[in-house]
Amino acid sequence: MIPVRGVEGQTVLILGLGRSGLTAARAVAAGGGTPLCWDDGAAGRQRAEEEGFTLHDPTRPGALDAVSLLVTSPGIPHLYPAPHKAIAAALRAGVPVDNDIGLFFRSLATGDWDRFDVAPKVVAVTGSNGKSTTSALIAHLLASAGREVQLAGNIGRGVLDIDPPGDGGVVVLELSSYQTDLARALTPDIAVFTNLSPDHLDRHAGLGGYFAAKRRLFAEGGPDRAVIGVDEDEGLFLAGQLSVGPADDRVIRVSSGQKLGGPGWSVSARKGFLSEMRKGRQTASIDLRGVRGLPGAHNHQNACAAYAAVRALGLAPRTIEAGLHSFSGLPHRSQLIAEAAGVTFVNDSKATNVDSAAKALQAFQRIRWICGGLEKEGGLSALHPHFGSVLKAYVIGREAEHFALELGDGVESEICGSMEVAVARATAEATSGDTVLLAPAAASFDQYDNFEQRGEDFTARVRAALNT
């Protein structure tokens, strides 16, 4: 655990008692503070009481009089579309509001670090798509090279729940826009921006607010190195803001699909080959086409970002290449489930928006596509240019008929409704060379609690169909 620093003798209110909230309460207590806990749900309050924490309703008159800090869970709105009433009350009372990410960054470094030969490092990864895979891949590459590493944040353990890093240790954090938007301290040694596409727009009052939340990771603390995906205008803009000139190698530009030039430091993937360029010369090249855990151009972008981050930490190209080949991928993210009679089954349940689904459709040929669910804003028109590799769509979800209409005439579709029917129909019709791909292009909440549950259902149905 990382004890929270600067709270000794203070009363800290913890709002939201899921994984990050309860961990924050424990870490505040470990730092000598007095945590008071609240959750709008009875189950959360019960968990806190079972651990011996004191419940404290922050919306009651005078409830914040003795509170020095409010720590909120990332899922609770603090500004848009409207602040939670407890956060609004804290802001009116002048009580600072933070989250566990802010507490982590202000508490990580201790006097013990003076005895280390190499100070620990923090790599923080944000972006719209690929940040989980990129974070996990960075951690995997470091572990494969024998480095001490911990993976936390929006993936793995809560940030305050990890062990204090040792001599030369690295902490890899995946950070969502909800986490970067509010954290009062953001000081990673290396910050990574994968890409940007519209998401969570209601929470950030539009695309500009969403980008601003991501940008805080780079603007607040000034990382020693910034790895920036420049395939969108926002990434180009961010790289330009952080760099003092074309040869500034504190910014590593990353791209998938275009070769980057110039005198600076860049890592790009084109036609399946990763190239590292420094000072106008190619310094390394890796063939990504045989890396089974990273299929498709979108995963090649993830590979470039992870490669750049670990190169900045001193790993050699050949060491990185070996680590890439041993990476098996993450569950529900272009995850290879099975191969039978020449048919490949891939679980990309994490493709919950149109942009991520489009990348999945570009990663494979001869696709039997299982899609559908709770459609997000903007419709499905952006998917239409990527239907060329789709043999047929098998549509699930409570509104499968509407979803199928949104697909239009560009692809043959069958309304299946349930995952069971979709997997059975796709498996029955698939022939050698086909890929049965779950890439829903929609949220899961109409039929499942989360995308993980949806992916697990797909996996179970595939294995049942194949009798494996």
Side-chain angles (χ1 to χ4, degrees):
M1 175 173 289
I2 307 295
V4 176
R5 302 179 69 187
V7 297
E8 188 173 358
Q10 297 182 11
T11 299
V12 179
L13 177 64
I14 311 296
L15 178 64
L17 300 173
R19 182 188 68 166
S20 66
L22 285 175
T23 301
R26 299 180 199 116
V28 165
T34 301
L36 302 176
C37 296
W38 188 253
D39 194 292
D40 291 340
R45 297 196 296 270
Q46 181 178 348
R47 287 193 296 268
E49 282 191 305
E50 289 172 352
E51 288 201 33
F53 292 118
T54 301
L55 296 180
H56 187 79
D57 186 349
T59 63
R60 292 181 177 178
L64 296 171
D65 289 350
V67 172
S68 300
L69 175 69
L70 186 151
V71 177
T72 181
S73 293
I76 299 174
H78 59 271
L79 186 57
Y80 301 114
H84 185 279
K85 55 187 177 181
I87 295 177
L91 294 173
R92 286 194 296 268
V95 175
V97 179
D98 206 346
N99 60 19
D100 63 329
I101 303 301
L103 299 183
F104 167 84
F105 276 111
R106 86 184 206 184
S107 305
L108 182 64
T110 67
D112 293 339
W113 289 22
D114 293 338
R115 301 195 301 271
F116 293 162
D117 292 329
V118 179
K121 302 288 186 183
V122 177
V123 180
V125 181
T126 195
S128 295
N129 298 307
K131 57 184 180 292
S132 294
T133 297
T134 300
S135 301
L137 181 55
I138 292 170
H140 172 80
L141 293 173
L142 290 168
S144 298
R147 300 281 292 271
E148 176 198 315
V149 61
Q150 298 180 79
L151 181 63
N154 214 36
I155 185 174
R157 300 163 68 182
V159 292
L160 295 171
D161 192 40
I162 67 170
D163 301 321
D167 194 339
V170 181
V171 178
V172 182
L173 302 181
E174 179 199 337
L175 299 181
S176 72
S177 59
Y178 292 3
Q179 294 167 311
T180 58
D181 196 21
L182 184 62
R184 294 172 67 88
L186 285 168
T187 54
D189 298 280
I190 298 172
V192 180
F193 176 85
T194 59
N195 50 58
L196 195 84
S197 61
D199 208 357
H200 308 304
L201 300 188
D202 58 337
R203 178 66 180 265
H204 299 292
L207 185 61
Y210 178 51
F211 175 55
K214 302 287 190 185
R215 182 182 175 276
R216 288 192 76 245
L217 181 62
F218 303 84
E220 293 297 312
D224 295 335
R225 279 257 161 68
V227 177
I228 310 292
V230 296
D231 288 334
E232 294 88 28
D233 289 341
E234 291 85 358
L236 279 171
F237 175 79
L238 181 59
Q241 279 203 314
L242 296 173
S243 176
V244 299
D248 186 355
D249 67 0
R250 294 174 303 170
V251 177
I252 309 175
R253 291 168 171 82
V254 166
S255 176
S256 175
Q258 59 176 320
K259 186 175 181 179
L260 300 176
W265 192 352
S266 67
V267 181
S268 58
R270 190 166 179 267
K271 296 182 179 180
F273 287 86
L274 179 151
S275 297
E276 178 186 4
M277 303 288 293
R278 299 189 73 170
K279 299 180 180 179
R281 295 183 178 181
Q282 180 172 298
T283 56
S285 177
I286 296 175
D287 185 352
L288 299 174
R289 294 172 299 174
V291 180
R292 296 294 301 276
L294 295 165
H298 62 304
N299 273 313
H300 292 174
Q301 183 188 54
N302 300 334
C304 289
Y307 177 98
V310 296
R311 281 290 281 144
L313 290 170
L315 265 61
R318 295 285 77 85
T319 301
I320 299 171
E321 183 174 12
L324 290 172
H325 281 280
S326 62
F327 182 66
S328 60
L330 285 180
H332 318 298
R333 297 162 177 86
S334 296
Q335 179 189 14
L336 177 64
I337 295 299
E339 292 178 297
V343 179
T344 302
F345 296 82
V346 176
N347 168 20
D348 202 354
S349 184
K350 185 62 170 65
T352 59
N353 59 40
V354 166
D355 184 68
S356 54
K359 289 179 169 61
L361 294 181
Q362 295 172 72
F364 305 96
Q365 300 296 319
R366 297 179 54 82
I367 297 171
R368 297 195 175 273
W369 177 32
I370 298 177
C371 58
L374 193 62
E375 189 178 334
K376 294 188 175 181
E377 275 185 55
L380 305 176
S381 59
L383 283 172
H384 292 186
H386 308 293
F387 287 163
S389 57
V390 178
L391 299 174
K392 185 175 178 180
Y394 303 82
V395 187
I396 64 173
R398 293 180 185 172
E399 298 182 354
E401 290 187 17
H402 175 73
F403 198 97
L405 287 173
E406 285 281 300
L407 294 177
D409 298 328
V411 61
E412 179 187 355
S413 62
E414 178 178 339
I415 297 168
C416 296
S418 70
M419 185 70 73
E420 180 180 12
V421 173
V423 169
R425 294 290 299 140
T427 302
E429 296 182 352
T431 59
S432 180
D434 291 358
T435 296
V436 176
L437 170 68
L438 171 65
S444 59
F445 305 123
D446 59 332
Q447 292 182 309
Y448 302 94
D449 291 339
N450 47 53
F451 73 84
E452 293 96 340
Q453 190 182 84
R454 177 172 59 191
E456 289 161 4
D457 189 24
F458 171 76
T459 301
R461 302 293 182 187
V462 167
R463 289 175 176 163
L466 300 178
N467 295 314
T468 60

